[in-house]
Amino acid sequence: MDKYRAIHCLLGIILIIVLEGAGVADIAITSWILVASMLINKTILTSDIKKAINVDALLTSVSALAMGLAVEKTDLGDELGTGMANAFSAMGEFGSLCGLFLATAWLGAFVGNDAAALVMLPTVLKAAGNLSKSPRLFFFVLIYGANASFIFPMGF
């Protein structure tokens, strides 16, 4: 790649970060503008874009967003959060965190880590609220649990 195209790419990325950070423009819009300018400039080709997009992963992520929204809208997350907090309440906060970790990791073994995190998010928020704790620690457990799906045989 020639120097001009490399500079174009780098400046475009910096511009996206600055505009998003300043609250001037949305990152999605500026990213599409950069992609369009890179196509016009022939920094990238449409065939490169087609090869780079994993349709299965994209559909899984979009479906996970829909599942997470459904869990939130139907109050299933509240019910699961309350149930998990009650089930593990005898072991205190640590037991609840372990239960949420295992549930998220188990779900991630079947649907992928991004989907597991999105589906379990309402549950984690409700569990933190039921225990009158800051959700920050619960978020970390959610992230680690979603990425630990390998601990179950189905996750391989």
Side-chain angles (χ1 to χ4, degrees):
M1 180 182 294
D2 62 51
K3 193 173 190 176
Y4 171 74
R5 291 180 183 159
I7 291 172
H8 177 228
C9 182
L10 179 63
L11 290 177
I13 292 169
I14 291 171
L15 185 62
I16 288 172
I17 293 169
V18 169
L19 291 175
E20 174 67 25
V24 174
D26 183 56
I27 193 167
I29 294 169
T30 54
S31 295
W32 278 108
I33 292 170
L34 177 62
V35 168
S37 70
M38 292 172 80
L39 283 169
I40 292 168
N41 186 350
K42 296 197 190 298
T43 302
I44 57 173
L45 304 173
T46 54
S47 60
D48 296 331
I49 294 173
K50 289 178 186 174
K51 283 186 236 173
I53 296 174
N54 183 341
V55 176
D56 291 337
L58 182 63
L59 289 175
T60 299
S61 294
V62 170
S63 298
L65 284 169
M67 285 190 296
L69 185 60
V71 167
E72 184 180 347
K73 295 270 184 196
T74 61
D75 293 331
L76 178 60
D78 290 348
E79 295 298 322
L80 288 172
T82 301
M84 291 193 79
N86 291 340
F88 294 99
S89 62
M91 293 183 276
E93 181 181 353
F94 180 75
S96 294
L97 292 171
C98 288
L100 289 168
F101 176 87
L102 290 173
T104 307
W106 178 80
L107 182 60
F110 294 102
V111 297
N113 54 359
D114 57 343
L118 288 168
V119 170
M120 290 296 291
L121 180 61
T123 303
V124 167
L125 289 173
K126 185 64 174 186
N130 284 345
L131 294 169
S132 301
K133 300 290 183 182
S134 168
R136 183 181 171 135
L137 178 61
F138 287 77
F139 285 136
F140 281 111
V141 168
L142 174 72
I143 292 166
Y144 291 129
N147 288 292
S149 60
F150 62 87
I151 64 176
F152 293 100
M154 298 79 61
F156 287 106

